[in-house]
């Protein structure tokens, strides 16, 4: 079988003879006398496309033969017209080759080899040995784009085993008896790879590193190349222009504009916090003034609907900073009721833990806490008022003598 994708990687359409068709699980596995369909390898995805307007839904290579899987048996077997999905091929070819260039740059600059490569639908990653700081990563990115500008012709070699031993390959050779294909990018990189690559570095157009992170013992680098990188550049330009218009500034002033907004936001939040504290003080004073009085004890009884428990707890904490105060608070959230009983620290003869455990039974709940603060929850919302009334009566009869 002639593998046209190694002869001319830019072939999009070709005519071939069907020399065999295997029916497996109601699918048809077609063998052509020649093919431009790349079956995948080296981290690069397989091609898709059409054979006589029949979609190629899968592709694989076995014993040197490429099988094209279709869902419908072709009627014509001579001079069948074939076409590959060029958009998919170009993207896969570009991202894969960009990894070779990046890997060559990291190896050339820092003697850091590539551990693994993954090509995703939207972004690709390459794992480089060791942990690299931003300065080194940007230096490799800059070199990669300079390599693109140099328009270096890519060489594809199929050396003998003896010749292979003399080549200074970047990585260890694969353990195989099959013919090994070597990709050489000028003096930058030489490495064994079965993938399909552009004819020159200029076809990459651009390589853009998006971000990086420490991954095990490597640095995982996310990158874009070719059309992906160009589109990302356009999108960033649109985004930057919108930000500049919003801030009424040019690109160089954007950071200062954002910093000013952030500073003003912090200032507003601080002012808001002070206002909330003032409001809270007035709210607490009002709650104490309107509370039930038993001797010199202020008993605050209140039921909240769908309030944040943390916020209510903070409010209770502020209330019991005052002497001679008891709070009997319920928070209703849908089917659930949260009970919070608390008292001032100067009330030594009252135990909120005991009071809550005695009262919460009325709503089939459980809870507990300390002498000054106890809380729990129950599901029987119909009996909430009874909980507060029971606790109030118990305080009146057992803890406070009028």
């Amino acid at each position: 079988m002639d593998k046209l994708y190694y002869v001319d990687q830019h072939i999009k359409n070709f005519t071939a003879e069907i020399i065999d068709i295997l029916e497996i699980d109601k699918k048809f596995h077609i063998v052509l006398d020649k093919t431009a369909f790349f079956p995948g390898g080296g981290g690069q995805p397989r091609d898709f496309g059409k054979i006589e307007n029949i979609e190629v839904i899968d592709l694989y290579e076995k014993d040197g033969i490429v099988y094209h899987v279709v869902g419908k048996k072709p009627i014509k077997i001579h001079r069948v017209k074939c076409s590959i999905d060029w958009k998919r091929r170009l993207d896969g070819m570009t991202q894969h080759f960009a990894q070779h260039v990046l890997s060559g740059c990291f190896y050339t600059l820092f003697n850091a080899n590539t551990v693994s490569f993954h090509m995703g639908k939207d972004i690709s990653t390459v794992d480089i040995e060791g942990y690299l700081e931003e300065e080194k990563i940007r230096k490799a990115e800059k070199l990669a784009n300079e390599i693109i500008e140099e328009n270096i012709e890519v060489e594809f070699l199929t050396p003998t085993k003896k010749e292979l031993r003399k080549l200074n390959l970047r990585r260890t050779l694969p353990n195989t008896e099959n013919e090994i294909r070597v990709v050489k990018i000028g003096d930058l990189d030489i490495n064994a790879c079965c993938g399909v690559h552009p004819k020159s570095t200029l076809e990459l157009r651009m390589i853009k590193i998006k971000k990086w992170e420490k991954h095990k013992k490597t640095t995982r680098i996310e990158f874009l190349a070719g059309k992906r990188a160009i589109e990302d550049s356009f999108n960033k330009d649109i985004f930057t222009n919108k930000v500049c218009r919003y801030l009424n500034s040019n690109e160089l002033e954007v950071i200062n504009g954002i910093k000013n907004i952030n500073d003003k936001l912090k200032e507003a939040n601080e002012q808001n916090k002070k206002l909330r504290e003032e409001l809270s003080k007035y709210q607490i004073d009002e709650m104490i003034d309107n509370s039930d009085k038993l001797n010199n004890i202020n008993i605050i009884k209140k039921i909240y609907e769908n309030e944040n428990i943390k916020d209510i707890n903070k409010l209770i904490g502020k209330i019991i900073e005052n002497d001679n105060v008891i709070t009997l608070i319920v928070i209703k959230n849908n089917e659930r009721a949260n009970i919070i009983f608390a008292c001032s620290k100067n009330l030594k003869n009252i135990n909120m833990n005991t009071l809550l455990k005695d009262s919460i039974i009325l709503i089939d709940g459980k809870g507990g806490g300390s002498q000054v603060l106890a809380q729990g929850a129950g599901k029987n919302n119909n009996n909430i008022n009874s909980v507060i009334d029971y606790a109030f009566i118990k305080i009146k009869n057992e803890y406070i003598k009028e």
Side-chain angles (χ1 to χ4, degrees):
M1 171 183 281
D2 292 333
K3 296 175 180 178
L4 302 178
Y5 47 84
Y6 284 153
V7 177
D8 183 355
Q9 60 272 67
H10 288 238
I11 292 177
K12 305 177 184 66
N13 305 286
F14 65 99
T15 301
E17 299 288 313
I18 295 178
I19 59 177
D20 198 7
I21 300 176
L22 305 176
E23 185 175 353
I24 304 173
D25 296 330
K26 297 182 180 180
K27 299 287 191 303
F28 300 93
H29 298 234
I30 299 173
V31 179
L32 304 172
D33 66 333
K34 57 179 173 291
T35 184
F37 286 87
F38 175 59
Q44 186 174 336
R46 65 179 67 87
D47 285 334
F48 291 142
K50 293 182 179 181
I51 297 177
E52 284 291 329
N53 291 321
I54 303 172
E55 294 284 347
V56 175
I57 57 177
D58 199 4
L59 199 69
Y60 65 95
E61 184 175 7
K62 183 178 180 181
D63 298 329
I65 298 174
V66 177
Y67 291 86
H68 311 72
V69 183
V70 297
K72 179 182 176 182
K73 187 175 182 179
I75 298 174
K76 185 178 179 182
I77 63 172
H78 297 298
R79 296 189 60 77
V80 294
K81 294 180 179 179
C82 308
S83 61
I84 68 169
D85 181 342
W86 179 247
K87 183 178 179 181
R88 176 184 172 88
R89 157 70 76 77
L90 182 60
D91 182 61
M93 190 164 62
T94 302
Q95 307 312 313
H96 186 192
F97 185 54
Q99 175 263 307
H100 277 261
V101 172
L102 276 175
S103 293
C105 291
F106 280 109
Y107 189 75
T108 298
L109 292 171
F110 314 114
N111 199 33
N113 221 328
T114 295
V115 175
S116 64
F117 161 65
H118 172 73
M119 196 183 96
K121 182 181 177 183
D122 299 312
I123 201 159
S124 301
T125 63
V126 59
D127 293 351
I128 306 295
E129 288 176 334
Y131 187 66
L132 303 168
E133 58 272 17
E134 181 175 3
E135 183 182 356
K136 288 184 176 180
I137 292 169
R138 292 304 181 196
K139 190 173 181 179
E141 180 184 41
K142 183 179 179 182
L143 177 59
N145 284 284
E146 288 173 354
I147 293 295
I148 291 173
E149 288 182 4
E150 289 180 22
N151 193 18
I152 299 172
E153 185 178 347
V154 184
E155 298 177 65
F156 306 102
L157 315 172
T158 52
T160 63
K161 288 186 177 181
K162 185 177 180 180
E163 290 171 333
L164 273 170
R165 286 193 290 268
K166 295 179 181 179
L167 295 175
N168 186 25
L169 299 182
R170 175 167 49 83
R171 299 182 68 187
T172 306
L173 286 169
N175 185 18
T176 179
E177 293 300 320
N178 296 330
E179 182 180 73
I180 294 177
R181 193 164 183 262
V182 172
V183 178
K184 185 175 185 297
I185 311 169
D187 296 327
L188 176 73
D189 190 50
I190 181 167
N191 194 43
C193 183
C194 64
V196 181
H197 303 81
K199 292 180 179 179
S200 78
T201 58
L202 192 62
E203 291 184 40
L204 285 177
R205 302 165 73 190
M206 179 182 183
I207 293 176
K208 180 60 188 170
I209 290 177
K210 296 288 291 179
K211 67 177 185 177
W212 56 90
E213 62 183 0
K214 190 174 183 179
H215 179 71
K216 297 179 180 179
K217 295 182 179 180
T218 72
T219 302
R220 173 160 291 176
I221 294 169
E222 293 187 1
F223 70 91
L224 302 170
K227 188 177 180 181
R228 292 189 189 187
I230 299 299
E231 289 180 347
D232 180 73
S233 178
F234 287 154
N235 291 335
K236 286 291 185 294
D237 190 50
I238 292 170
F239 173 78
T240 302
N241 286 334
K242 285 183 178 179
V243 171
C244 288
R245 285 199 297 271
Y246 180 80
L247 296 174
N248 194 26
S249 65
N250 60 43
E251 291 183 23
L252 298 177
E253 297 170 343
V254 164
I255 297 299
N256 285 333
I258 294 173
K259 184 179 180 299
N260 289 336
I261 290 175
N262 189 51
D263 290 342
K264 289 179 181 178
L265 180 60
K266 285 182 179 179
E267 184 181 339
N269 285 337
E270 285 297 319
Q271 291 177 348
N272 191 33
K273 183 180 177 181
K274 290 178 181 178
L275 289 172
R276 286 201 309 270
E277 288 175 352
E278 286 294 321
L279 182 62
S280 176
K281 184 178 181 300
Y282 286 115
Q283 184 182 2
I284 290 169
D285 290 342
E286 183 181 3
M287 291 174 75
I288 292 174
D289 289 341
N290 295 331
S291 65
D292 290 284
K293 317 292 182 183
L294 291 176
N295 288 349
N296 65 335
I297 308 296
N298 301 292
I299 302 177
I300 297 172
K301 301 183 293 182
K302 192 165 182 64
I303 297 174
Y304 289 95
E305 294 274 355
N306 299 317
E307 290 288 344
N308 185 287
I309 296 175
K310 288 183 178 180
D311 291 341
I312 300 301
N313 262 313
K314 287 180 182 178
L315 177 63
I316 292 171
K318 291 287 184 182
I319 293 172
I320 62 174
E321 287 178 1
N322 297 276
D323 287 342
N324 299 330
V325 179
I326 297 172
T327 60
L328 306 176
I329 304 294
V330 176
I331 307 165
K332 289 175 62 178
N333 284 297
N334 298 322
E335 300 294 322
R336 186 180 178 86
N338 290 87
I339 312 296
I340 306 173
F341 289 173
C343 70
S344 305
K345 290 182 179 180
N346 73 306
L347 300 176
K348 305 294 185 182
N349 66 324
I350 300 177
N351 192 305
M352 293 295 107
N353 181 44
T354 303
L355 182 65
L356 180 113
K357 287 183 175 179
D358 288 344
S359 307
I360 205 168
I361 296 171
L362 296 172
I363 60 168
D364 302 323
K366 293 182 180 180
S370 67
Q371 181 180 335
V372 297
L373 176 65
Q375 50 191 322
K379 296 181 179 179
N380 186 2
N381 281 355
N382 295 326
N383 239 3
I384 286 176
N385 289 313
S386 298
V387 173
I388 293 179
D389 292 340
Y390 175 83
F392 182 80
I393 293 169
K394 193 172 180 69
I395 292 169
K396 181 178 180 181
N397 293 337
E398 296 186 19
Y399 295 111
I400 299 174
K401 295 179 181 179
E402 295 197 59

